Amino acid sequence: MGDHHHGPAKGLKRWIFATNHKDIGTMYLWFSFAMFILGGSFAMIIRAELFQPGMQLIRPEFFNQMTTMHGLIMVFGAIMPSFVGLANWMIPMMIGAPDMALPRMNNWSFWILPPAFLLLASTLFMEGGGPAFGWTFYAPLSTTYAPPSVTFFIFGVHILGLSSIMGSINIVATVWNLRAPGMTWMKMPLFVWTWFITAYLLIAVMPVLAGLVTMMLMDIHFGTSFFSAAGGGDPVLFQHIFWFFGHPEVYIIILPAFGVVSQIIPTFARKPLFGYDSMVYATASIAFLSFIVWAHHMYTVGMPVSGELFFMYATMLIAVPTGVKVFNWISTMWRGSMTFETPMLFSIGFVVLFTIGGFTGLMLSIAPSDFQYHDSYFVVAHFHYVMVAGAVFSMTAAVYYWLPKWCGRMYNETMGKTHFWISFVGFNLAFFPQHFVGLAGMPRRIPDYALQFTDFNMMSSVGAFIYGGSQILFLYNVIATIVAGQPISDEKVWEGAEGLEWTVPTPAPFHTFAVPPQVK
Amino acid sequence: MCFKAKRRLTLALSSMSALLPLTAATAWAQDSKVNAINMPVGVTEVSASIYDLHMIIFWICVIIGVLVFGVMFYSIFAHRKSKGVVPATFHESTKVEIAWTVVPFLILLAMAVPATKTLIEIYDFDDAEMDILVTGFQWKWKYEYLQEDGENLKFFSNLRTPQDEIYNEEVKGEHYLLEVDEPLVVPVDTKVRLLVTANDVIHSWWVPDLAVKKDAIPGFINETWFKSTQVGIFRGQCAELCGKEHGFMPIVVHVVSKADYVDWLATKQSEAAEIKELMAQSFTLDELAERGKGVYQRSCLACHGANGEGGVGKAIAGSLLVTGAINGHLDSVVNGVPGTAMQAFGGQLNDVDMAAVITYQRNAFGNNMGDMVQPLDIFNFKKGQ
């Protein structure tokens, strides 16, 4: 390709001043993995405490800090940046662009993340402890009754919101402007489509989150009463604003995951994606619906019955486009010629477990039943099925799928498959019993529980340790691949792979598509 | 401090080694709630309709799941490369897409009908036979039975499980964490309307058997109701994260026969009258300290520690406030300390209990002040502000 003289700078400067989409993507991926391990270790502390009834290892106030930080770090530090990293690496290569449209902003949007999380993590060592009000930080527990460190939390959220908005603007600008000749909208790979839509969701709702934490800041330090009834405000207002951000947020997490799976399944089924058009429309419908269902997180706050009905019907509707997606993936597999390498295993695991999470989501949408499910472990089980078996499984699949392309070396397939099966068993052992205890009446976010929940909690803890431990295998496999994996040079890597990213050399050179390809 | 932490660690380790398979729960294996895997049917008509809805949607999901996963697993089994299958090339069909959009939509429509019916039933607050004001506090519930004559009966309901059970220094009782000092008592077959609110942060009043979960929001009053068809004891917990002791504010509802309810109410009212009488009397220091010890354990211990050593709250032992002028001490207990977790107990404790606990604090944990306050002093203090 004659690009070597444009190689990367040497040493630390390569990373600090990085403007190359692949380098920035790599940094995002490593950063998110570090956060995944940190958030995961908090989860291990939680599950160790819940291994049996009684307070064993930590105090209730620290337990609350752990559940809060686990949620915040996993959502904002692990899952979201990991998909941004993937977008950085793959979107230019998928649409035939030389780089992201705004490379310097790209650098900035990554480099403000580590300080933001340093700030957030440092609150754990502050007087009064870190945030202990749950990742949903409902007022007034997060305002009038919050530890002093809440101000640092607010600042941290501002910074990472800024990072997300800049990242999204970059993706939107790239997709609009840098598509190769002939790469029309309806030829774009589905991963690009899902991220394109996700980026708009982010631009729409991150400012809402920023506004919300600013209102908190005003309530705490400047004497306003947005969320205090004593001053004419309303604590429920907080929840409406939070979930107006929060519900689109869950689709921000899951849509790119849909995109990944829609790339991987056709490859290993050796058959084109079934219903490409309907997949695009379904993604857009889900994005639209995500804005009009927020109050289904709040069925018990005392809304009028008309409000409950509206949000119930709107929420039930989400099952339709989501169902379309699942049916399309299965039709893609149908009469294909399948093989089951690690990325395919994780994708099939995704389809099965995400669908289970979708079913419980449908159950949760039924407002009267939700009066029983709400804030119980049933909800915890539900969202871990969609967040972990959904987003994290698909992210894991993506790493195995594209890693050979990124570094020109093949990972160890046996170890990859082992990672999948341990993850699969551990995950289900951890989260399936949580449906039971939730239905039987165990509230979420409690550091100690009644004796009848003991057995399932023990199972859950054992499962969580297995799932957590399996990530060490993953880390080992990835490092071993990069350092000493078997070199490969086949451009396609996978027999059934289609798309522009598989037309560049393996490993992908520092600069790709300096000359735009012509798409037929 | 250090000694305590160490002891806790040894206890944790020893209980882990002793744990072996599933010790805690097996003792209560005869109780049907142990290892329950489903929602209770409950004891109200509403809870039964909710259970039915839950089961209908559950079976719909199971059937769809079996079909979808069945097709997928058949495909995984049959359409694999190792069997020499040549991939087909089809990749779209408008007809199928329409079918699998319309059919789920119709299923949802069918599901929406009973859901709507039940929801409207739940929202029918009319014809309540009695009203109870439920107020969430950090971390206890207050129940106030609203009476026509304004002579409301009110009391607090605190966790009864001792700290020693929570910290594994004693064997855990059958209703560990689900037991209170004063349960909510209501008559059977009576539509009870609850007005739910909170004093500090948001709580949520949840009893699974009654299928009631309603957020308690400071500054706002939510309505909900239940009508139990069975007598019995029903247990629940706060469902909304409300701070440190969120896991330790249970709810216990005793549903009793109508006759028993009348008796109970009469007893409670005469108790209230008795307290009124006591408030006019004088006590010795020992009497006050004795009573105060119980009050301390119910109301102060969670934050200030079993030996007054402090925790979330400041230490009582050797405290300058407690060993200072009585009025300063009274002020912070009656009115709370704004901006901290110290609540205003003036409205929570009656004057006798207030006098008792103040006296106890001044004379326990090495605070040998030797002085005391009488209920009448409390009354005058409150009146004087």
Side-chain angles (χ1 to χ4, degrees):
Chain A
M1 297 287 285
D3 277 333
H4 342 295
H5 50 282
H6 282 309
K10 296 276 177 273
L12 208 58
K13 278 188 176 172
R14 168 177 180 178
W15 304 106
I16 293 174
F17 301 114
T19 49
N20 178 285
H21 71 104
K22 300 187 182 78
D23 279 359
I24 294 175
T26 303
M27 289 195 290
Y28 262 112
L29 290 171
W30 278 113
F31 175 76
S32 62
F33 192 81
M35 289 295 113
F36 182 58
I37 295 298
L38 182 67
S41 57
F42 293 163
M44 297 299 106
I45 294 174
I46 293 169
R47 284 318 320 175
E49 176 56 52
L50 293 174
F51 186 69
Q52 50 176 340
M55 296 307 299
Q56 321 288 345
L57 309 165
I58 55 176
R59 312 279 309 192
E61 55 270 36
F62 188 67
F63 182 90
N64 289 346
Q65 293 172 36
M66 286 294 99
T67 54
T68 306
M69 294 297 262
H70 166 70
L72 289 170
I73 287 188
M74 286 306 198
V75 168
F76 295 106
I79 300 179
M80 288 173 69
S82 72
F83 281 109
V84 179
L86 205 57
N88 257 296
W89 253 102
M90 300 319 300
I91 289 179
M93 282 167 66
M94 284 177 157
I95 60 172
D99 204 307
M100 297 294 281
L102 309 162
R104 291 198 189 280
M105 191 163 86
N106 206 7
N107 173 293
W108 188 229
S109 68
F110 171 75
W111 275 112
I112 60 176
L113 271 186
F117 281 93
L118 211 61
L119 198 65
L120 199 59
S122 70
T123 58
L124 285 174
F125 304 98
M126 288 179 188
E127 177 84 37
F133 30 66
W135 87 275
T136 54
F137 54 103
Y138 282 7
L141 190 62
S142 62
T143 53
T144 321
Y145 293 82
S149 64
V150 65
T151 308
F152 292 86
F153 154 83
I154 290 172
F155 192 46
V157 170
H158 269 135
I159 300 177
L160 51 93
L162 208 61
S163 160
S164 288
I165 292 171
M166 290 196 289
S168 308
I169 290 174
N170 211 345
I171 287 167
V172 168
T174 306
V175 174
W176 272 108
N177 297 305
L178 297 186
R179 278 173 291 132
M183 175 61 79
T184 56
W185 289 109
M186 293 311 271
K187 277 188 190 157
M188 282 197 320
L190 217 71
F191 177 73
V192 180
W193 255 117
T194 53
W195 241 120
F196 183 62
I197 291 171
T198 300
Y200 276 104
L201 288 181
L202 274 166
I203 293 170
V205 301
M206 289 316 276
V208 176
L209 178 67
L212 181 69
V213 293
T214 307
M215 289 159 92
M216 284 171 62
L217 192 75
M218 301 292 281
D219 269 14
I220 295 168
H221 295 292
F222 301 107
T224 58
S225 299
F226 290 111
F227 308 128
S228 160
D234 182 353
V236 180
L237 174 67
F238 176 96
Q239 297 182 26
H240 281 294
I241 302 174
F242 179 84
W243 287 113
F244 187 81
F245 147 78
H247 200 77
E249 167 69 20
V250 305
Y251 293 109
I252 285 165
I253 287 171
I254 204 66
L255 291 183
F258 288 168
V260 166
V261 170
S262 305
Q263 301 299 131
I264 293 177
I265 291 181
T267 296
F268 295 97
R270 292 167 182 77
K271 189 165 152 281
L273 182 69
F274 187 83
Y276 171 90
D277 293 13
S278 68
M279 287 297 236
V280 173
Y281 301 141
T283 309
S285 321
I286 293 174
F288 168 73
L289 286 171
S290 77
F291 283 104
I292 56 165
V293 296
W294 76 89
H296 68 217
H297 298 270
M298 306 161 51
Y299 282 144
T300 62
V301 297
M303 270 185 290
V305 69
S306 51
E308 300 261 331
L309 287 172
F310 171 79
F311 286 108
M312 176 168 82
Y313 299 150
T315 305
M316 289 167 81
L317 271 185
I318 296 177
V320 176
T322 313
V324 166
K325 288 200 157 276
V326 174
F327 299 143
N328 277 324
W329 288 322
I330 290 172
S331 305
T332 305
M333 289 156 73
W334 186 256
R335 290 187 49 212
S337 175
M338 278 187 275
T339 50
F340 302 92
E341 289 86 345
T342 312
M344 183 63 160
L345 287 180
F346 271 101
S347 298
I348 293 172
F350 168 95
V351 173
V352 173
L353 300 178
F354 173 81
T355 304
I356 294 176
F359 285 145
T360 51
L362 183 57
M363 295 170 78
L364 283 157
S365 76
I366 310 291
S369 317
D370 183 70
F371 292 153
Q372 291 281 44
Y373 309 138
H374 180 72
D375 267 336
S376 78
Y377 256 84
F378 189 77
V379 176
V380 177
H382 159 73
F383 70 71
H384 282 94
Y385 266 78
V386 290
M387 294 285 110
V388 181
V392 179
F393 269 36
S394 108
M395 190 62 219
T396 315
V399 170
Y400 282 114
Y401 183 55
W402 281 302
L403 185 64
K405 177 51 101 192
W406 296 340
C407 66
R409 293 170 185 275
M410 196 62 193
Y411 62 85
N412 181 325
E413 193 66 65
T414 314
M415 211 189 294
K417 286 181 176 171
T418 312
H419 172 214
F420 169 74
W421 285 110
I422 300 178
S423 288
F424 187 84
V425 171
F427 171 83
N428 283 293
L429 189 61
F431 294 105
F432 208 79
Q434 294 186 359
H435 292 112
F436 302 150
V437 288
L439 290 174
M442 178 168 162
R444 63 191 286 205
R445 293 168 167 165
I446 55 175
D448 192 6
Y449 49 83
L451 301 181
Q452 68 254 33
F453 307 127
T454 308
D455 293 359
F456 289 132
N457 270 289
M458 277 184 187
M459 271 189 215
S460 203
S461 291
V462 171
F465 298 142
I466 295 174
Y467 180 75
S470 76
Q471 303 315 315
I472 295 166
L473 194 64
F474 179 42
L475 178 64
Y476 176 80
N477 201 356
V478 169
I479 292 176
T481 308
I482 295 170
V483 176
Q486 196 192 348
I488 47 166
S489 56
D490 182 7
E491 283 159 12
K492 277 186 78 156
V493 180
W494 310 107
E495 184 190 21
E498 298 285 343
L500 287 179
E501 81 264 37
W502 305 109
T503 63
V504 301
T506 302
F510 194 59
H511 292 293
T512 39
F513 297 124
V515 178
Q518 185 70 41
V519 180
K520 299 182 289 321
Chain B
M1 256 338 245
C2 188
F3 165 69
K4 189 137 199 200
K6 213 182 219 172
R7 185 172 52 161
R8 195 151 288 146
L9 189 67
T10 8
L11 268 163
L13 290 176
S14 63
S15 52
M16 264 183 193
S17 59
L19 158 226
L20 290 173
L22 328 171
T23 40
T26 35
W28 316 112
Q30 66 276 28
D31 186 338
S32 65
K33 301 237 178 210
V34 171
N35 293 343
I37 59 166
N38 202 357
M39 183 190 286
V41 182
V43 291
T44 69
E45 273 174 38
V46 166
S47 72
S49 333
I50 288 179
Y51 176 82
D52 289 343
L53 270 182
H54 160 70
M55 290 315 287
I56 295 170
I57 190 81
F58 170 73
W59 284 116
I60 290 177
C61 289
V62 169
I63 292 166
I64 296 174
V66 167
L67 291 175
V68 170
F69 295 148
V71 170
M72 193 182 87
F73 284 114
Y74 173 78
S75 180
I76 287 175
F77 171 75
H79 307 142
R80 45 171 70 214
K81 195 185 175 199
S82 57
K83 291 200 170 179
V85 180
V86 178
T89 52
F90 67 85
H91 59 88
E92 62 186 346
S93 158
T94 312
K95 276 184 205 153
V96 206
E97 298 283 355
I98 290 175
W100 65 41
T101 306
V102 173
V103 172
F105 184 78
L106 295 177
I107 297 174
L108 290 175
L109 218 56
M111 193 57 222
V113 176
T116 306
K117 234 180 84 192
T118 307
L119 194 66
I120 288 172
E121 190 184 323
I122 295 173
Y123 267 76
D124 175 14
F125 305 115
D126 293 345
D127 307 319
E129 292 159 82
M130 58 186 284
D131 294 319
I132 301 173
L133 178 65
V134 178
T135 312
F137 283 72
Q138 280 182 322
W139 293 276
K140 56 190 148 241
W141 295 98
K142 182 189 178 191
Y143 300 114
E144 183 165 354
Y145 291 65
L146 305 181
Q147 310 286 348
E148 305 247 320
D149 58 7
E151 287 289 305
N152 296 343
L153 168 68
K154 50 189 163 188
F155 56 85
F156 280 84
S157 182
N158 297 286
L159 175 72
R160 205 183 62 191
T161 305
Q163 294 286 307
D164 284 350
E165 285 187 23
I166 295 171
Y167 284 95
N168 312 307
E169 288 163 23
E170 260 180 50
V171 180
K172 295 175 179 22
E174 180 176 358
H175 297 297
Y176 177 69
L177 294 189
L178 299 179
E179 49 196 349
V180 296
D181 53 358
E182 289 233 46
L184 180 70
V185 178
V186 293
V188 72
D189 294 324
T190 305
K191 186 164 180 176
V192 181
R193 192 168 70 129
L194 301 179
L195 302 167
V196 187
T197 185
N199 181 58
D200 33 51
V201 300
I202 300 177
H203 304 269
S204 188
W205 199 86
W206 180 27
V207 179
D209 280 309
L210 304 176
V212 170
K213 183 184 286 133
K214 204 67 167 181
D215 289 358
I217 300 167
F220 292 83
I221 295 179
N222 271 330
E223 265 181 311
T224 185
W225 64 276
F226 65 89
K227 184 176 181 176
S228 176
T229 56
Q230 288 174 31
V231 296
I233 300 175
F234 307 107
R235 294 165 201 277
Q237 283 177 274
C238 176
E240 181 67 60
L241 178 64
C242 56
K244 181 173 87 76
E245 307 278 316
H246 162 56
F248 306 95
M249 53 180 291
I251 296 152
V252 179
V253 180
H254 280 210
V255 178
V256 298
S257 71
K258 287 183 176 171
D260 287 350
Y261 176 72
V262 173
D263 289 348
W264 175 83
L265 197 62
T267 318
K268 290 305 275 187
Q269 277 164 341
S270 68
E271 270 175 26
E274 227 168 84
I275 290 282
K276 251 187 186 167
E277 248 168 58
L278 284 179
M279 275 156 62
Q281 293 176 17
S282 286
F283 299 89
T284 66
L285 197 152
D286 286 344
E287 284 169 339
L288 284 170
E290 169 84 34
R291 188 183 183 98
K293 189 175 180 186
V295 179
Y296 182 87
Q297 283 167 351
R298 285 198 304 276
S299 302
C300 317
L301 185 144
C303 295
H304 295 286
N307 299 308
E309 73 275 24
V312 169
K314 295 194 169 156
I316 300 286
S319 154
L320 286 179
L321 183 80
V322 174
T323 56
I326 287 192
N327 270 9
H329 187 187
L330 257 179
D331 181 48
S332 52
V333 182
V334 171
N335 300 318
V337 182
T340 71
M342 180 64 194
Q343 300 170 11
F345 282 90
Q348 299 185 31
L349 299 175
N350 63 54
D351 294 354
V352 182
D353 286 344
M354 180 65 80
V357 81
I358 298 261
T359 306
Y360 174 70
Q361 289 181 358
R362 299 181 77 80
N363 293 286
F365 321 128
N367 297 344
N368 298 314
M369 294 298 292
D371 57 1
M372 58 175 156
V373 272
Q374 293 294 342
L376 197 61
D377 300 332
I378 306 287
F379 180 78
N380 289 331
F381 177 85
K382 282 187 186 167
K383 209 173 132 193
Q385 348 192 20

